[in-house]
C-alpha cells in the first residue's frame, strides 16, 4: 500500500480518510516486510479512548516516535514517563501562575493593536490581495516568542521580512511527516548524505538552536542583572517563572540549558503552528459561510459592549457561545495537528478487535474523525456552529475522545485555554473590523506536513466595515 500512499501524498489526509471510511474506521496499511512499516490507522472513538485514556500506560510516545521527532529532544511533545511528568508539571505550574493570564492577554493585544490591525488597515487602503495564512503565521510567531523569551522577532510588518527561525519551523514539520512514510533506514541515509528534506531538517535544527540559545543567554543575563541590583520582584516574565519551576523540579545533575531548550522549542512550535493554522482554516470556512460571520458579528455587539479601542478580556469573550461553537466546528473539520502517533509497550487488543504488538505503529487520524458520519452524523461535512450549542443556549461539550483536536487523557494539551484565548481575541477583533472575501480561483488545500497548513496559503481581500458601533 506504500506506493498508493506516496502517489496520494499531495492529498494524504483525504486519502487516509477515504480508506478509513471504507474499512469501518480502522485499517492496517501494509508496508514492505523488510522495513517494519506496517501502520494501523484508526478514527474509532472507542480505540482513541482506549489508547489515550483507558490504557494510557501501555501507549507511550516510544523510541520510534522520539527518533522521528528528534529535533524536539526531551520536551513535552517527545518525552515519556518521569521526564514527561516533570515537563508537564513545570509548564502547567507556569500556566497557572496568577500573573500568567494577564501577561498572555497583554502580549496578544499589544501585537494586535501595534502590528496586526495597522497592517490589515493598510491592506484595505490599497485594496490588495493578501495571504492571510502568512500573516497569521507571523503574528503567532511574534506572539509566542514575545511570550516565551520576551523577544519579538518583528516578522509581522508590511515588507514581510525573511525570518530564518520562522522558515525553519515549517521545513522541520515537512521533513518529519516524510519520516512516517519512508523506511527508517532510508531517511537515515538521506540525513547522512544531507539531501532533500533531511538536509532542510538538519539546517532548521541548527537555526532554531541558535535562536533559542541566544534568547536563553539574554534572559539569563537580564535575570542576573535584576538580582545583582537587589530587585527581587520585577515584571513577570515567562522565562523567569519557568526558571524557578525548573530549579524546584529538575535534578541538579541534569543539563538545564538543554532541558529549557527542549521545553521552549516544544512550546514555540505548538504556539506558532497550531494557532496560526486554526485561524487560517477558521476564516476560510467563515468566508464560505457569511451567515455564520453575521451571527458572530451580532453576538460581538450584543455581549461585548463594544467600544472602540477597548480590550476584551477572556471572561468577556467566553460569554460568546456562538463564536466558541464556530471555532470548535472549524477545529473539528480542520484540526491543526491532523494525526497522533502511538506504539504499545505490550501486545493489546483494541476495542475494534484489532490486535497490536510493540512493532505496530498506530496512527490516530483526528482529521478523519471529523469526517466520519458514524461519529458526527450524516451532516458531518457541513459547517454548523449550532452543533456545539445546547438546547438551553449554552456551550455543548463533546468528550475528548470524540473531539480530539486537543488530544485526550493525561496528555491533553496543556495550552488549550491559552490557544482558545488567542483564537477568540484575534477572530473577534478581525470580524469586528473587516469582512473577508476569498480570492476567486485560488486553490485552498492542506499541504503534506505534520501540521495542517494550506499548501498555497489563503489569498483574500479585506474590506473595512463602514459602520462600527461605539
Amino acid at each position: 500500500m506504500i506506493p498508493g500512499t506516496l502517489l496520494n501524498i499531495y492529498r494524504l489526509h483525504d486519502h487516509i480518510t477515504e480508506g478509513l471510511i471504507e474499512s469501518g474506521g480502522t485499517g492496517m496499511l501494509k508496508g514492505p516486510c523488510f522495513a517494519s512499516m506496517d501502520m494501523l490507522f484508526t478514527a474509532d472513538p472507542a480505540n482513541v479512548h482506549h489508547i489515550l485514556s483507558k490504557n494510557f500506560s501501555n501507549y507511550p510516545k516510544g523510541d520510534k516516535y522520539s527518533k522521528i521527532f528528534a529535533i524536539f529532544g526531551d520536551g513535552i511533545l517527545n518525552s515519556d514517563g518521569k521526564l514527561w511528568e516533570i515537563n508537564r508539571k513545570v509548564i502547567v505550574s507556569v500556566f497557572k501562575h496568577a500573573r500568567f493570564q494577564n501577561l498572555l492577554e497583554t502580549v496578544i493585544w499589544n501585537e494586535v493593536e501595534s502590528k496586526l490591525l495597522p497592517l490589515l488597515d493598510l491592506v484595505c487602503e490599497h485594496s490588495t490581495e493578501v495571504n492571510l495564512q502568512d500573516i497569521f503565521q507571523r503574528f503567532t510567531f511574534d506572539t509566542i516568542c514575545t511570550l516565551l523569551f520576551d523577544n519579538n522577532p518583528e516578522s509581522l510588518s508590511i515588507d514581510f521580512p525573511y525570518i530564518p527561525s520562522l522558515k525553519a519551523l515549517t521545513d522541520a514539520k515537512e521533513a518529519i511527516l516524510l519520516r512516517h512514510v519512508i523506511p527508517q533506514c532510508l531517511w537515515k541515509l538521506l540525513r547522512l548524505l544531507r539531501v532533500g528534506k533531511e538536509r532542510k531538517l538538519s539546517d532548521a535544527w541548527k537555526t532554531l538552536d541558535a535562536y533559542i540559545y541566544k534568547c536563553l543567554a539574554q534572559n539569563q543575563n537580564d535575570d542576573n542583572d535584576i538580582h545583582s541590583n537587589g530587585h527581587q520582584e520585577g515584571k513577570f516574565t515567562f522565562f523567569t517563572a519557568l526558571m524557578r519551576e525548573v530549579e524546584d523540579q529538575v535534578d541538579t545533575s541534569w543539563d538545564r540549558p538543554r532541558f529549557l531548550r527542549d521545553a521552549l522549542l516544544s512550546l514555540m512550535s505548538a504556539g506558532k503552528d497550531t494557532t496560526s493554522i486554526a485561524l487560517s482554516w477558521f476564516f476560510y470556512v467563515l468566508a464560505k459561510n457569511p451567515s455564520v460571520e453575521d451571527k458572530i458579528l451580532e453576538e460581538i455587539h450584543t455581549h461585548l459592549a463594544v467600544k472602540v479601542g477597548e480590550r476584551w478580556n477572556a471572561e468577556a469573550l467566553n460569554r460568546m457561545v456562538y463564536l466558541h461553537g464556530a471555532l470548535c466546528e472549524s477545529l473539528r473539520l480542520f484540526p491543526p495537528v491532523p494525526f497522533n502517533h502511538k506504539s504499545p509497550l505490550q501486545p493489546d487488543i483494541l476495542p475494534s478487535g484489532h490486535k497490536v504488538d510493540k512493532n505496530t505503529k498506530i496512527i490516530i487520524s483526528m482529521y478523519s474523525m471529523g469526517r466520519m458520519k458514524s461519529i458526527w452524523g450524516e451532516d458531518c461535512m457541513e459547517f454548523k456552529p449550532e452543533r456545539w450549542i445546547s438546547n438551553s443556549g449554552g456551550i455543548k461539550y463533546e468528550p475528548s475522545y470524540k473531539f480530539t483536536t486537543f488530544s485526550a487523557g493525561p496528555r491533553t494539551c496543556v495550552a488549550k485555554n491559552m490557544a482558545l484565548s488567542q483564537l477568540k481575541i484575534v477572530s473577534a477583533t478581525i470580524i469586528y473590523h473587516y469582512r473577508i472575501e476569498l480570492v476567486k480561483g485560488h486553490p485552498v488545500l492542506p499541504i503534506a506536513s505534520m501540521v495542517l497548513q494550506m499548501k498555497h496559503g489563503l489569498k483574500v481581500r479585506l474590506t473595512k466595515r463602514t459602520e462600527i458601533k461605539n
Side-chain angles (χ1 to χ4, degrees):
M1 295 174 65
I2 294 296
T5 301
L6 292 175
L7 286 173
N8 284 277
I9 195 75
Y10 69 97
R11 56 182 298 274
L12 180 64
H13 304 299
D14 288 313
H15 176 67
I16 291 170
T17 300
E18 291 162 3
L20 286 173
I21 291 174
E22 290 179 8
S23 62
T26 303
M28 180 70 77
L29 187 149
K30 303 292 289 185
C33 58
F34 64 86
S36 298
M37 285 189 63
D38 290 359
M39 289 181 277
L40 183 74
F41 283 82
T42 186
D44 184 337
N47 287 346
V48 172
H49 181 57
H50 179 84
I51 294 168
L52 299 183
S53 300
K54 188 176 180 181
N55 202 14
F56 170 77
S57 61
N58 193 43
Y59 291 90
K61 294 288 187 178
D63 182 60
K64 292 179 181 178
Y65 184 101
S66 63
K67 288 179 180 177
I68 291 174
F69 292 83
I71 190 173
F72 294 106
D74 293 323
I76 192 171
L77 299 179
N78 220 19
S79 55
D80 284 313
K82 183 179 179 180
L83 186 55
W84 167 73
E85 291 176 2
I86 292 173
N87 266 287
R88 188 177 182 88
K89 189 173 183 178
V90 165
I91 294 170
V92 169
S93 294
V94 178
F95 286 171
K96 287 184 176 179
H97 194 286
R99 298 170 67 184
F100 174 75
Q101 183 63 36
N102 183 59
L103 172 66
L104 173 65
E105 292 187 22
T106 299
V107 168
I108 295 172
W109 274 112
N110 285 346
E111 194 69 17
V112 166
E113 293 172 345
S114 66
K115 300 289 182 59
L116 182 61
L117 291 180
L119 176 60
L120 296 182
D121 280 348
L122 198 58
V123 169
C124 289
E125 182 181 336
H126 293 282
S127 301
T128 57
E129 296 178 2
V130 67
N131 182 352
L132 204 56
Q133 178 177 255
D134 189 16
I135 288 177
F136 287 146
Q137 285 178 342
R138 292 170 181 275
F139 171 83
T140 56
F141 182 67
D142 287 354
T143 301
I144 194 63
C145 289
T146 303
L147 181 67
L148 298 180
F149 306 112
D150 198 21
N151 173 273
N152 193 324
E154 304 287 348
S155 70
L156 185 62
S157 62
I158 192 60
D159 57 342
F160 294 96
Y162 174 76
I163 306 294
S165 49
L166 177 60
K167 179 66 164 56
L169 285 171
T170 300
D171 289 344
K173 296 294 177 64
E174 292 180 10
I176 289 171
L177 178 72
L178 196 60
R179 287 184 172 188
H180 281 81
V181 296
I182 64 175
Q184 184 179 11
C185 59
L186 180 54
W187 65 254
K188 282 189 172 183
L189 177 61
L190 295 175
R191 183 183 64 185
L192 182 65
L193 297 175
R194 284 184 52 79
V195 296
K197 297 289 186 183
E198 286 297 321
R199 178 180 179 178
K200 286 188 174 183
L201 176 57
S202 178
D203 292 341
W205 194 323
K206 293 176 182 177
T207 298
L208 291 168
D209 276 0
Y211 176 72
I212 292 173
Y213 281 119
K214 179 182 178 181
C215 289
L216 286 178
Q218 182 61 54
N219 277 275
Q220 187 66 64
N221 290 336
D222 292 345
D223 199 45
N224 291 338
D225 289 342
I226 290 173
H227 287 296
S228 64
N229 291 329
H231 299 294
Q232 297 300 316
E233 290 293 335
K235 72 172 185 177
F236 175 82
T237 67
F238 186 92
F239 176 80
T240 302
L242 184 67
M243 279 296 296
R244 289 173 181 169
E245 292 298 330
V246 169
E247 288 172 1
D248 292 339
Q249 303 293 336
V250 176
D251 192 285
T252 55
S253 63
W254 288 15
D255 184 345
R256 291 193 180 186
R258 175 64 185 273
F259 180 89
L260 287 168
R261 176 265 181 204
D262 294 347
L264 290 166
L265 178 58
S266 296
L267 293 171
M268 178 181 167
S269 174
K272 175 260 180 184
D273 283 327
T274 55
T275 308
S276 65
I277 290 168
L279 285 168
S280 298
W281 287 108
F282 176 66
F283 279 100
Y284 167 72
V285 292
L286 208 62
K288 295 177 75 68
N289 294 270
S291 62
V292 172
E293 180 186 19
D294 291 340
K295 289 180 181 178
I296 295 173
L297 185 62
E298 181 181 352
E299 189 177 50
I300 291 173
H301 290 301
T302 301
H303 294 286
L304 294 184
V306 174
K307 294 180 181 178
V308 175
E310 181 177 300
R311 292 185 173 187
W312 313 316
N313 58 35
E315 183 180 349
L317 287 164
N318 285 339
R319 294 197 296 266
M320 296 185 59
V321 175
Y322 198 80
L323 172 63
H324 183 92
L327 286 168
C328 287
E329 185 70 344
S330 178
L331 290 168
R332 176 184 73 85
L333 288 168
F334 301 102
V337 181
F339 64 86
N340 195 349
H341 177 178
K342 292 287 184 178
S343 291
L345 287 175
Q346 300 296 330
D348 196 10
I349 299 177
L350 300 179
S352 61
H354 291 81
K355 295 180 180 180
V356 294
D357 58 38
K358 62 181 181 180
N359 293 318
T360 306
K361 293 181 182 178
I362 302 175
I363 307 295
I364 299 172
S365 177
M366 286 85 85
Y367 182 90
S368 301
M369 289 182 74
R371 288 160 166 71
M372 303 292 284
K373 293 180 181 179
S374 58
I375 301 175
W376 296 99
E378 292 294 321
D379 61 353
C380 66
M381 294 304 296
E382 295 180 32
F383 179 65
K384 295 176 62 177
E386 292 80 7
R387 202 187 303 272
W388 300 88
I389 301 175
S390 66
N391 292 333
S392 62
I395 295 171
K396 180 182 178 182
Y397 292 95
E398 295 286 0
S400 56
Y401 56 82
K402 177 181 177 181
F403 177 55
T404 51
T405 294
F406 296 99
S407 194
R411 296 194 85 127
T412 297
C413 177
V414 296
K416 176 181 178 179
N417 292 332
M418 183 174 84
L420 287 173
S421 290
Q422 188 168 10
L423 288 174
K424 289 177 180 179
I425 289 173
V426 176
S427 58
T429 301
I430 292 179
I431 292 169
Y432 177 65
H433 286 94
Y434 314 97
R435 181 173 289 276
I436 294 176
E437 180 184 359
L438 300 175
V439 172
K440 292 182 180 179
H442 176 71
V444 178
L445 67 161
I447 194 173
S449 176
M450 283 301 302
V451 290
L452 205 67
Q453 284 181 317
M454 296 173 175
K455 185 174 183 179
H456 305 289
L458 180 62
K459 293 289 185 68
V460 301
R461 290 185 179 277
L462 280 75
T463 304
K464 196 163 186 178
R465 298 188 186 276
T466 55
E467 296 182 8
I468 299 180
K469 295 181 181 180
N470 294 315

